[in-house]
Structure formats: C-alpha cells, structure tokens
Amino acid sequence: MNRLLLAAATVASIATALPAAAQFAKPEQAIKYRQSAMALQANHLGRLFAMANGKVPFEAKVAAEQIEIVAMLNKLQFAAFVDGSDKGDTRAKPEIWSQRDKFNAREAKSHEDVAKLVAAGKTGDFEQIKAAVGAVGQSCKGCHDEFRKE
Ligand code: ASC
C-alpha cells in the first residue's frame, strides 16, 4: 500500500513538474506540442471572446473555468519554442530564436496579461473580464504579427 501511495505521489509530482520541463526527442514534437497548445487555447479563448462580445450569455462560473484552462495552456505553449524547432511544419519566424530577447518580452507580456485575466475571472465581473480578455487577445495578436509567418 505504501509503495502504491509512493508511486502515485511520484507520478503526481512528475505531472506537476512537466509544464516547465516539457521534453522533446525531435524538433517536430516541439512544433506539434506548441501548435496543439495554441489550438486548444484558441478554443477556450473563443468561448471567452464570445461572452465578451455578447454572442453567448455571460456566466461568471463558465468564464472562470475557461480562464483557468487558458492560463495553463499559455504556460505550456512557451515551453515548446526550443532550439532547433525553427524548421519544419511551422510558421514560427526564425526571429524567435535570433531575437530571443524580443520574443521573451512578448512571453512576459503574455503571462502578465493572462495573470490579469485570472484575477478578473476571480472577481466574476463582466466588464473586468471583458477588458482583460481583450488585452490577452491583443497580446496574442501582437506576437503573431511580429513572430508568425503569414
Ligand atoms: C485566438 C487566436 C488568435 C488570437 C487572436 C487575438 O483565439 O486563434 O490568433 O486569439 O485572434 O486577436
């Protein structure tokens, strides 16, 4: 029993440590990983945009759930822009690697805006969530404009 518990605890701690330490045997795995995280993010952000735009009714609880998912995905995607993953089936511009400081600044801004969205989600206030979702969208767009090929 103790051994089982220990095994479960070990698995849990590894799972917790994974986001920052995503590992890729091949560049294409990193590319697929970040594209997957962004596709999921677009889905969950889409629900928030729809609420912010009044296309679906605002529900604070649903919004907060979506925001938590976005916050996790936002961390995951950035762990996958590893060296060597600039070539292949990707629209990532080489500048991500050659101008890493600028990309890192985009990442920092993204995390900052998502942290504000998480805070807004906790208030349950529509106007605050709407404003914060808008800022996150601008953050996404700014980075895509600068670092994503057409
Ligand atoms: C998304 C998505 C993007 C951004 C951007 C925000 O959901 O797929 O590229 O948000 O549209 O302006």
Side-chain angles (χ1 to χ4, degrees):
M1 187 60 194
N2 277 344
R3 228 184 256 178
L4 258 184
L5 277 177
L6 185 63
T10 306
V11 169
S13 68
I14 290 169
T16 313
L18 267 179
Q23 290 190 22
F24 311 103
K26 298 175 186 167
E28 52 265 40
Q29 291 171 349
I31 292 168
K32 184 151 192 199
Y33 182 99
R34 66 195 185 221
Q35 288 172 347
S36 304
M38 278 186 267
L40 289 170
Q41 213 175 178
N43 180 295
H44 294 283
L45 266 177
R47 299 193 206 184
L48 291 163
F49 286 137
M51 277 192 224
N53 298 334
K55 286 185 186 141
V56 304
F58 173 70
E59 282 183 67
K61 188 171 173 287
V62 175
E65 285 166 3
Q66 297 306 311
I67 289 168
E68 290 302 328
I69 296 168
V70 168
M72 173 57 78
L73 293 166
N74 183 254
K75 284 182 211 158
L76 296 179
Q77 65 176 6
F78 283 106
F81 289 91
V82 294
D83 286 351
S85 64
D86 53 332
K87 292 189 183 66
D89 186 13
T90 177
R91 285 195 286 162
K93 285 191 182 170
E95 284 78 8
I96 290 171
W97 291 271
S98 65
Q99 300 178 13
R100 194 73 201 198
D101 288 356
K102 281 192 187 173
F103 185 72
N104 288 346
R106 287 285 184 189
E107 174 176 358
K109 179 80 168 77
S110 176
H111 294 324
E112 200 179 293
D113 288 335
V114 170
K116 285 181 189 164
L117 177 59
V118 169
K122 288 185 176 145
T123 70
D125 179 71
F126 175 72
E127 291 302 332
Q128 288 191 48
I129 293 170
K130 181 179 169 158
V133 168
V136 168
Q138 286 307 306
S139 216
C140 299
K141 186 178 183 307
C143 196
H144 291 161
D145 289 349
E146 189 173 3
F147 289 112
R148 186 176 68 178
K149 292 175 203 161
E150 290 299 307

